Amino acid sequence: MLTQHIRDALASRLSISFPDISLISKEDAVPIPEPPYFQTELTLAEFEPISTHRYTARFRFKIYYVPVPEKPVAAMIMDEMLESLTTLEVEGRPCRASSVAWERPTGNDGASGEGYFRAEYVIQLTTDQVEMESKMQILKQGGGLK
């Protein structure tokens, strides 16, 4: 459920910051709009227990920006995009990005691939679930419990 909340928070942030740019999710099967548009992809969602009632949730997104032809990303939205990804509001709570960057991967041949924005969010959460302690019971002779 938290994964959907953070996806929704990211979509909301992008829609507010860039109202004229369409947004699609790689996970959804929707038609590709005309450029410019954003395509988001959740590449990591992991939950790590910290203690009995606390855990860390880590989410990493790739956000591809498909610009209008002949207008590079840097000229269009680079600074504004990096700034808008630094904070999300997830279920009414502020969530700061642990890292935000523009990446342009290079292949084995040294050629640059398509670039994307990367944003990683880490949230510490608590759970209302109480762990049930297992209590040892003693068996009476004959199979009943004392």
Side-chain angles (χ1 to χ4, degrees):
M1 192 59 154
L2 182 60
T3 303
Q4 188 58 46
H5 290 288
I6 199 154
R7 279 184 181 157
D8 293 345
L10 179 63
S12 176
R13 169 61 71 192
L14 291 173
S15 296
I16 290 167
S17 298
F18 305 97
D20 298 333
I21 299 176
S22 300
L23 174 68
I24 60 172
S25 173
K26 188 170 185 175
E27 292 84 9
D28 298 334
V30 295
I32 304 292
E34 290 294 318
Y37 66 89
F38 292 113
Q39 181 180 28
T40 63
E41 176 184 2
L42 178 65
T43 60
L44 174 77
E46 65 182 10
F47 300 91
E48 181 179 321
I50 298 173
S51 66
T52 304
H53 299 290
R54 293 179 48 208
Y55 63 95
T56 299
R58 181 181 316 272
F59 301 95
R60 186 177 303 138
F61 289 93
K62 286 184 179 178
I63 301 109
Y64 297 93
Y65 174 64
V66 178
V68 174
E70 299 175 18
K71 289 196 178 185
V73 174
M76 295 288 295
I77 64 164
M78 182 68 72
D79 292 336
E80 188 179 353
M81 180 67 165
L82 293 174
E83 182 66 31
S84 70
L85 292 175
T86 59
T87 305
L88 297 180
E89 187 169 311
V90 181
E91 295 184 304
R93 296 174 30 185
C95 174
R96 288 196 62 78
S98 59
S99 67
V100 176
W102 166 255
E103 294 187 0
R104 185 176 297 272
T106 50
N108 293 338
D109 60 356
S112 291
E114 182 180 347
Y116 59 88
F117 293 94
R118 178 185 45 77
E120 185 168 319
Y121 300 92
V122 178
I123 306 170
Q124 283 197 12
L125 301 165
T126 59
T127 178
D128 294 334
Q129 297 175 342
V130 177
E131 285 188 22
M132 301 298 287
E133 291 183 35
S134 57
K135 296 181 181 178
M136 183 169 275
Q137 296 181 342
I138 300 171
L139 289 174
K140 286 194 260 180
Q141 191 148 352
L145 294 174
K146 286 186 179 179

